[in-house]
Amino acid sequence: MSFRVWLYRLLTGSREKSLIMEGEQLLEDGRFIQAQEVYREIIESCPNDPQGYMGMSLVYEKMGLRPEARREKAIGESLAILDEHPDDVPARLKLAKALLDKEMYGWAAAHGEHALKVAPGNIEVLETASRAYIANLNYDKAAAVLGEWVRKEPLDAELYQKWALALKNSGQTAEAARAASLAKALGAVGKDPGNALIVDQAVRQLLAAGRRHLAMDMVDRALKGNPNRGALHRIRGELLLMNRSHKDAMLALRKAVELEPADLKAHRFLSQAYAKEGFTEKAKQHEMLAETIEKAREGGDVLATEMAMVRLLIDSGQVKAAQKRAEEINRTMPEDWRAPFSRGLVFKAHGKIKEAKNCFMQAKVMNTKVPEVHLEIAKLHSELGESMEAIGFARHAVSLAPRDADTRRMLAAILRQYNFMDQAIEEEDIADSLTKKPGGQKGATKA
């Protein structure tokens, strides 16, 4: 004990007060290292006394160590507040963070735990307490706190990563694997929220974890920044179907097929939604559209798929979109019969019969063996009341595809229109026999 400390103690009757006076005098004398030692002694003997930290803050300030000065001041100020208001959460958090910065992890964890008792749902409290527990290697408590934090912010990928690590270190390997998987999926969505495939994968992860409502929240977030991604509307519609919100599902799925008419899944889900609400005809229409798309894709012919899309868009009332596709076919493949044929379909949809017929006849010249062309010409003649021409072209279509049931049914319809009933019934019977599968069940048969 220095003479000055002995003298101050004699005067004040308190070792702590004498040390404080000594520290102040040393600071005034510019003897910063000695002052630092004195204040450190105060802190070690009275760790809850703010004066030691405030003195240390002054020392660091004089030495030009501003971050350290701010840290010690934060500890001193927080302790002073907590001395009178022990449940002051901001002061408790400020103290815990400063102690973490000072690498006093055990004490920081104790203050984090106190803050949790006072404000268990506070995000900042959860964040600070989890940091303190991890720094103190108390992974069981860290995992519990992070689990609560995840429930507050359930779509934060980085948070899931922290939780997974804490769970792993606490020996909860299965739970850690699930959290890590969700972290990866949510992280991918965060990087590319407009990618429907990535969003769908994350949705499956959340559904597997029993968090359907979170899946919907995630899709809604993705849609906010990508409102024109039809596949995202389809995923939302599927989730609404799962929730039995059929009317809302119909709205989402109609938007999906409007934006992406070739989305096979969207048509099938929309068919389900219509069926649930009793719209049987609409349900059948979208199931048929899905089958059309599927058959075109199975054929592996890109142009055939494009033709199917033109028909699909026309059938769903999107004639302008069909026209754009038909124009693209004409631009890229003008030598193929489907180029004028697609234009003919669009002209027909616009009610321009003469132009449509010219296009179909051009297609027939380019390829005389396509039943579809002859059928479309037959339909035009039928609409104009030209019975013999209609029947003639329809019969020629059947001769080109004798085992195609739909072609025969079209011929039968035209025959009925002009009262050739016996012939119509005969064609219908043949069509029925062509669609019968082994065992007596009916199903579509490819030509």
Side-chain angles (χ1 to χ4, degrees), residues 57 60-61 65-75 98:
S57 174
Y60 282 133
E61 188 70 37
L65 302 172
R66 289 184 176 80
E68 290 82 355
R70 286 194 295 270
R71 179 192 67 204
E72 298 300 318
K73 186 179 181 181
I75 295 173

Side-chain angles (χ1 to χ4, degrees), residues 160-400:
Y160 275 93
Q161 288 178 337
K162 293 177 182 178
W163 190 30
L165 184 58
L167 287 165
K168 182 180 178 181
N169 288 329
S170 68
Q172 302 176 66
T173 53
E175 292 85 349
R178 283 194 287 270
S181 181
L182 282 169
K184 184 178 179 181
L186 292 171
V189 172
K191 291 177 183 177
D192 192 2
N195 189 318
L197 180 60
I198 290 173
V199 172
D200 189 63
Q201 289 171 346
V203 165
R204 303 306 148 193
Q205 292 274 7
L206 289 167
L207 291 177
R211 301 181 180 187
R212 188 186 298 172
H213 67 289
L214 294 182
M216 180 65 80
D217 289 345
M218 183 186 67
V219 174
D220 285 341
R221 286 189 186 185
L223 275 168
K224 280 184 179 179
N226 303 276
N228 294 322
R229 296 293 177 92
L232 293 178
H233 289 280
R234 181 244 299 156
I235 295 168
R236 188 172 188 275
E238 181 187 0
L239 290 171
L240 288 165
L241 272 178
M242 291 180 185
N243 291 337
R244 298 182 181 179
S245 302
H246 303 138
K247 290 181 179 178
D248 290 335
M250 282 191 294
L251 291 174
L253 293 165
R254 280 204 294 263
K255 185 66 175 178
V257 298
E258 176 188 330
L259 292 168
E260 296 183 23
D263 191 328
L264 184 68
K265 290 182 180 179
H267 284 289
R268 291 224 157 104
F269 287 134
L270 184 52
S271 176
Q272 291 177 30
Y274 277 133
K276 293 287 185 182
E277 288 295 299
F279 298 106
T280 307
E281 288 304 314
K282 287 186 177 181
K284 286 180 181 178
Q285 178 191 6
H286 284 278
E287 185 58 38
M288 288 175 65
L289 291 172
E291 289 176 4
T292 300
I293 297 167
E294 193 169 38
K295 285 178 182 178
R297 288 177 179 172
E298 285 173 356
D301 185 341
V302 176
L303 205 50
T305 304
E306 284 299 303
M307 278 302 309
M309 284 304 307
V310 171
R311 286 187 179 276
L312 169 60
L313 289 165
I314 290 171
D315 290 343
S316 58
Q318 299 181 63
V319 181
K320 285 186 179 180
Q323 185 172 343
K324 285 183 180 179
R325 283 188 178 266
E327 288 170 354
E328 183 63 16
I329 293 171
N330 275 268
R331 188 183 68 81
T332 57
M333 298 288 286
E335 72 283 358
D336 192 285
W337 66 271
R338 286 166 289 197
F341 184 71
S342 63
R343 291 178 63 235
L345 292 174
V346 172
F347 278 130
K348 183 182 174 185
H350 281 299
K352 297 180 178 180
I353 303 302
K354 182 180 178 181
E355 292 86 344
K357 184 178 178 181
N358 289 338
C359 287
F360 292 146
M361 294 302 289
Q362 185 183 349
K364 184 176 77 70
V365 171
M366 294 172 75
N367 191 333
T368 60
K369 297 181 179 180
V370 182
E372 295 169 70
V373 175
H374 291 82
L375 271 182
E376 289 299 333
I377 296 171
K379 290 178 189 176
L380 287 181
H381 282 298
S382 180
E383 289 178 13
L384 295 170
E386 298 167 355
S387 59
M388 290 301 101
E389 290 85 348
I391 294 170
F393 276 102
R395 284 199 181 280
H396 192 70
V398 168
S399 72
L400 293 170

Side-chain angles (χ1 to χ4, degrees), residues 143-168:
V145 172
L146 284 164
E148 183 61 31
W149 190 3
V150 164
R151 281 186 280 277
K152 296 286 183 180
E153 298 184 358
L155 294 175
D156 188 325
E158 187 178 343
L159 186 52
Y160 275 93
Q161 288 178 337
K162 293 177 182 178
W163 190 30
L165 184 58
L167 287 165
K168 182 180 178 181

